[in-house]
Amino acid sequence: MRKKELKLIVTFHTTADAMAMEKACKERGVPGRLIPVPRVISAGCGLSWCAETAEKENIKAMMQSVGIQEEDMHECMV
Amino acid sequence: MIYMDNAATTMKKPQCVIEAVSAAMCFMGNAGRGAHAASLDASRSIYGTRQSLAEFFHAENPKQIVFTNNSTESLNIAIKGTIRPGDHVITTEMEHNSVLRPLYEMEERGVELTIIPADKRGMVDYDDFAKAVRSNTKAIVCTNASNLTGNKVDIKKVGEIAKKSGLLFIVDASQTAGVYPIDVQDMNIDILCFTGHKGLLGPQGTGGMYVRTGVEVKPLKSGGSGVLTYSKHHPLEMPTALEAGTLNGHGIAGLGAGVEYIRRTGIDKIRETELSHMWKFYNGVKKIPGVKIYGDFDTEDRCPIVTLNIGDYDSSEVSDELLMTYDISTRPGAHCAPLMHKALGTVEQGAVRFSFSHYNTEEEIAIAVKAVEELSKEE
């Protein structure tokens, strides 16, 4: 298994939210990818957006401007 | 075969729809049930169609678009999920059984029903809507166009009445989605019910609904959602709230391609071709002795449908003769719109419906006119 790193994990209420997130990030060149929600986090939707922790404010601002609602934001080892 | 039953289903689909379904059957996993490539591709494809439909109908957010199997399912969810015993509902005689039967079922459970009458041409009087409003009126459920005559209801006008009285406005767009532009904001539509396999040119088994943000709809089904596995209740978040179980991802990929085809080609251009066929056929058959045409043709604002009878012939015999002698496919009999048949006086005879596609040709229209002419002369 690869070594774990500290990442920003954004969770969502629905798959549609996760899809909206991926699309918005791709369109705006915001790095990251969809991964299964890590076991340490309890979330509604099984998909989460995984990105570098340094991107947190950037991602928050982007989500607000696009109107995507997160369920939660975590920083954890994945 | 000359196919003229497009109000039942558009048989000829754009090649891009066929290719989209075929491609989806090669790559699609189960949407939202994992984060592997095949599952994500399915989720992306479905979300793409959701977004296209949201833009197409001017929904405020793609999350307010829900996928179902057809208009019937959408209408059942809308009617049974928002109306409660003790509520009063207004509908019209123009409706299809997919509106009437769920409403009759609700009537048996204690819902009061007012059905606005249709005149001999199958049209309603808009003043009747406002007159029917009571203190306990919850909703207006109304078709956008009759599947029997093709005549449209001015949905914007009815939407204004609903808004003024604070009523929920549920619209059946089975005959108009993909044919006429629908703007749920401008028309004050709270729930729009549509099917994918008619004007939207998608596969059968696809359909959906738009639900305005904040409108609470109790789901008909609960079950797998890919989210909140350990909760005893189905999630309340849209669109998941109304989408229990695996979606028809392959079909939805095709539906998305259908919507994109319409946007690319131009909804007005497609409709103008269809209406041009309709008028050519109508003008060709209207003066034939013994031919009786139903509905209002004084208006240009209608769907590409001409429904007729020849003398006292049983409509099924006429439709069969059209098929056997001329290879023309039409629909005879009763058209799942019982109150409209009563209004038009065609309960016994039924009626033969010709409904056109932009894929029909002028030559086909000429053959159909000639066929009606010849059949009307036969003893």
Side-chain angles (χ1 to χ4, degrees):
Chain A
M1 293 289 280
R2 90 189 133 75
K3 202 178 157 203
K4 289 190 175 183
E5 294 171 40
L6 187 69
K7 295 280 188 185
L8 174 73
I9 300 293
V10 185
T11 59
F12 307 96
H13 292 290
T14 69
T15 308
D17 289 318
M19 289 300 121
M21 179 69 173
E22 184 188 55
K23 198 155 192 286
C25 286
K26 272 188 185 161
E27 281 167 4
R28 287 160 185 78
V30 178
R33 70 181 182 98
L34 287 170
I35 62 162
V37 175
R39 198 178 58 179
V40 290
I41 298 171
S42 159
C45 171
L47 296 173
S48 58
W49 185 254
C50 174
E52 299 300 327
T53 52
E55 292 285 338
K56 190 173 182 175
E57 293 312 311
N58 184 21
I59 284 175
K60 263 188 179 173
M62 191 276 295
M63 289 176 74
Q64 201 167 9
S65 74
V66 184
I68 299 169
Q69 210 189 355
E70 79 274 14
E71 188 185 64
D72 210 344
M73 278 196 186
H74 304 261
E75 284 185 17
C76 63
M77 299 295 286
V78 289
Chain B
M1 183 213 290
I2 298 177
Y3 185 81
M4 293 184 172
D5 195 15
N6 292 282
T9 195
T10 47
M11 190 193 71
K12 185 168 167 56
K13 309 291 183 188
Q15 190 57 31
C16 61
V17 171
I18 296 160
E19 282 164 12
V21 176
S22 170
M25 296 198 77
C26 298
F27 73 75
M28 209 174 248
N30 195 335
R33 267 62 171 180
H36 55 79
S39 172
L40 287 178
D41 279 344
S43 297
R44 287 179 189 123
S45 171
I46 289 169
Y47 187 76
T49 303
R50 210 185 285 286
Q51 197 170 30
S52 288
L53 285 164
E55 288 166 10
F56 198 64
F57 294 130
H58 302 264
E60 59 273 24
N61 190 320
K63 290 180 71 175
Q64 300 311 120
I65 298 290
V66 172
F67 291 111
T68 63
N69 290 326
N70 43 47
S71 286
T72 298
E73 188 181 2
S74 301
L75 286 159
N76 270 270
I77 294 170
I79 290 168
K80 293 172 185 171
T82 58
I83 297 161
R84 301 278 169 272
D87 289 340
H88 170 242
V89 179
I90 300 166
T91 190
T92 79
E93 287 189 348
M94 293 177 77
E95 307 308 315
H96 188 273
N97 267 338
S98 53
V99 168
L100 293 173
R101 284 179 173 161
L103 283 175
Y104 290 145
E105 210 180 309
M106 296 307 287
E107 196 177 27
E108 286 167 10
R109 292 190 218 162
V111 167
E112 296 167 28
L113 199 56
T114 297
I115 304 177
I116 308 281
D119 62 22
K120 282 180 183 170
R121 292 202 297 182
M123 301 294 283
V124 291
D125 182 343
Y126 293 99
D127 290 340
D128 287 348
F129 286 96
K131 284 182 202 160
V133 177
R134 303 177 191 165
S135 59
N136 60 338
T137 305
K138 176 73 183 280
I140 296 176
V141 190
C142 183
T143 188
N144 193 184
S146 163
N147 66 310
L148 190 50
T149 62
N151 282 126
K152 281 179 73 197
V153 173
D154 187 340
I155 282 302
K156 191 172 175 180
K157 203 181 259 186
V158 183
E160 277 163 14
I161 297 165
K163 193 181 180 187
K164 210 173 159 187
S165 303
L167 309 179
L168 198 64
F169 188 33
I170 301 170
V171 173
D172 171 9
S174 299
Q175 293 298 332
T176 53
V179 180
Y180 277 92
I182 296 173
D183 183 333
V184 292
Q185 312 300 341
D186 183 50
M187 295 168 169
N188 288 308
I189 297 170
D190 293 305
I191 303 180
L192 180 78
C193 301
F194 57 90
T195 195
H197 68 99
K198 297 188 181 185
L200 290 173
L201 303 171
Q204 294 177 7
T206 64
M209 57 204 293
Y210 155 78
V211 180
R212 182 176 298 285
T213 306
V215 172
E216 276 187 37
V217 183
K218 193 172 181 288
L220 272 187
K221 298 181 286 185
S222 57
S225 63
V227 306
L228 289 172
T229 292
Y230 297 103
S231 168
K232 283 188 176 176
H233 302 283
H234 195 78
L236 296 171
E237 283 279 329
M238 288 286 283
T240 314
L242 302 178
E243 288 182 346
T246 297
L247 291 173
N248 176 9
H250 303 124
I252 291 167
L255 175 59
V259 174
E260 286 312 309
Y261 170 85
I262 294 165
R263 293 171 87 181
R264 209 167 49 240
T265 312
I267 190 169
D268 296 336
K269 197 178 158 198
I270 292 172
R271 185 184 63 252
E272 278 158 20
T273 305
E274 291 170 349
L275 287 176
S276 156
H277 290 328
M278 181 204 74
W279 286 114
K280 195 169 180 192
F281 180 78
Y282 171 77
N283 288 322
V285 298
K286 72 175 177 184
K287 285 181 184 158
I288 298 173
V291 169
K292 183 168 188 202
I293 300 170
Y294 301 97
D296 181 1
F297 281 82
D298 290 338
T299 171
E300 301 269 324
D301 192 30
R302 60 190 336 287
C303 289
I305 291 173
V306 179
T307 298
L308 55 79
N309 273 316
I310 301 177
D312 292 327
Y313 283 114
D314 178 35
S315 62
S316 299
E317 281 176 44
V318 174
S319 183
D320 189 48
E321 198 61 28
L322 284 165
L323 178 69
M324 298 314 288
T325 309
Y326 303 94
D327 203 17
I328 299 171
S329 299
T330 57
R331 177 164 174 192
H335 297 248
C336 305
L339 304 181
M340 270 297 265
H341 279 287
K342 276 185 196 161
L344 301 173
T346 54
V347 170
E348 296 301 322
Q349 194 175 9
V352 187
R353 182 180 68 184
F354 294 77
S355 47
F356 306 98
S357 155
H358 67 298
Y359 286 124
N360 282 126
T361 63
E362 294 204 1
E363 192 193 356
E364 288 176 335
I365 305 301
I367 292 170
V369 171
K370 195 162 172 277
V372 173
E373 200 171 2
E374 286 176 5
L375 289 180
S376 71
K377 283 178 189 159
E378 286 178 8
E379 298 245 326

